[in-house]
Amino acid sequence: IAGITQAPTSQILAAGRRMTLRCTQDMRHNAMYWYRQDLGLGLRLIHYSNTAGTTGKGEVPDGYSVSRANTDDFPLTLASAVPSQTSVYFCASSERDNTEAFFGQGTRLTVV
Amino acid sequence: GQNIDQPTEMTATEGAIVQINCTYQTSGFNGLFWYQQHAGEAPTFLSYNVLDGLEEKGRFSSFLSRSKGYSYLLLKELQMKDSASYLCAVRDSNYQLIWGAGTKLIIKP
């Protein structure tokens, strides 16, 4: 692994299903983030973690949850997917809170 | 509320110079970032400004005026590969990043 990796790269999901998007980084960065990107809108922060063991809510946290059990992994869970969660999801990391961020390749999620 | 404004789309010619503007209104200021995002790809870091003035990095330069809440990204000697979206982001007093919607730059031969 080099940098930050997300899985899956794309997914079609039935509404009401539970889904976990995976994110792993090997840069030993303290801070990690989940964003969603929708056409015509800027990146919107869903949840963040400034260090392992801590998480915080971003601008659009409803319907999503995260955990940060260790430095490397930061999974995002949709408990019961809805069509409005159709989006491209980016995981990112930085050495400290909001210094230069490195992004994963994104997960394109379609909820039908 | 907090707000970042950028033009939605710009068109420029290969070999020319283009300036992409970003104005912001945020609760506090702790730095401004520019990222490049090619279609279907992840954003990648271009520049960071925290003090007023111009930061030059090869063909790309970024300018900041904190008193005016204004920044621009200057791209010189445009190449076709510069066709991308350019995202402006401001770090506020809580060290949270506020993102603009991005400027789609189209380069024509």
Side-chain angles (χ1 to χ4, degrees):
Chain A
I1 299 176
I4 184 164
T5 303
Q6 293 181 231
T9 54
S10 66
Q11 182 75 45
I12 299 174
L13 186 67
R17 297 293 297 269
R18 180 184 179 90
M19 172 80 188
T20 295
L21 309 185
R22 301 184 298 280
C23 177
T24 300
Q25 53 105 357
D26 65 355
M27 297 174 284
R28 307 302 293 171
H29 284 170
N30 286 314
M32 296 187 76
Y33 318 88
W34 275 105
Y35 290 97
R36 60 178 290 172
Q37 188 174 40
D38 302 290
L39 198 63
L41 300 176
L43 288 164
R44 292 185 291 169
L45 183 65
I46 304 170
H47 285 286
Y48 65 94
S49 169
N50 286 333
T51 189
T54 69
T55 62
K57 293 182 179 181
E59 180 186 355
V60 289
D62 294 344
Y64 307 95
S65 63
V66 292
S67 61
R68 186 87 184 277
N70 56 60
T71 298
D72 299 344
D73 301 301
F74 192 44
L76 176 75
T77 297
L78 288 69
S80 179
V82 294
S84 61
Q85 291 177 312
T86 294
S87 187
V88 179
Y89 291 86
F90 286 104
C91 180
S93 72
S94 61
E95 283 189 12
R96 300 182 308 280
D97 51 302
N98 288 312
T99 52
E100 175 189 346
F102 295 81
F103 285 79
Q105 76 273 32
T107 295
R108 184 174 296 275
L109 181 67
T110 303
V111 182
V112 298
Chain B
Q2 308 203 89
N3 194 50
I4 309 280
D5 284 318
Q6 307 178 233
T8 303
E9 186 174 297
M10 299 181 70
T11 302
T13 304
E14 189 176 17
I17 299 173
V18 71
Q19 177 176 310
I20 302 174
N21 295 327
C22 171
T23 58
Y24 62 88
Q25 294 174 308
T26 56
S27 40
F29 178 85
N30 280 298
L32 185 144
F33 297 81
W34 284 96
Y35 283 79
Q36 181 189 58
Q37 185 177 23
H38 285 101
E41 297 183 8
T44 55
F45 172 79
L46 282 179
S47 68
Y48 171 68
N49 294 69
V50 66
L51 300 176
D52 290 350
L54 189 67
E55 293 278 344
E56 297 187 78
K57 195 184 290 187
R59 294 188 298 113
F60 292 10
S61 304
S62 56
F63 172 83
L64 174 67
S65 169
R66 288 172 295 172
S67 62
K68 295 181 179 179
Y70 168 69
S71 173
Y72 67 72
L73 182 69
L74 192 71
L75 290 73
K76 303 177 185 175
E77 302 169 16
L78 285 169
Q79 302 175 10
M80 297 304 292
K81 67 178 182 180
D82 297 329
S83 291
S85 289
Y86 292 86
L87 314 180
C88 173
V90 172
R91 191 165 58 191
D92 69 10
S93 57
N94 294 320
Y95 279 77
Q96 295 300 312
L97 272 180
I98 313 301
W99 293 84
T103 298
K104 182 178 181 180
L105 178 63
I106 299 168
I107 310 296
K108 296 187 173 180

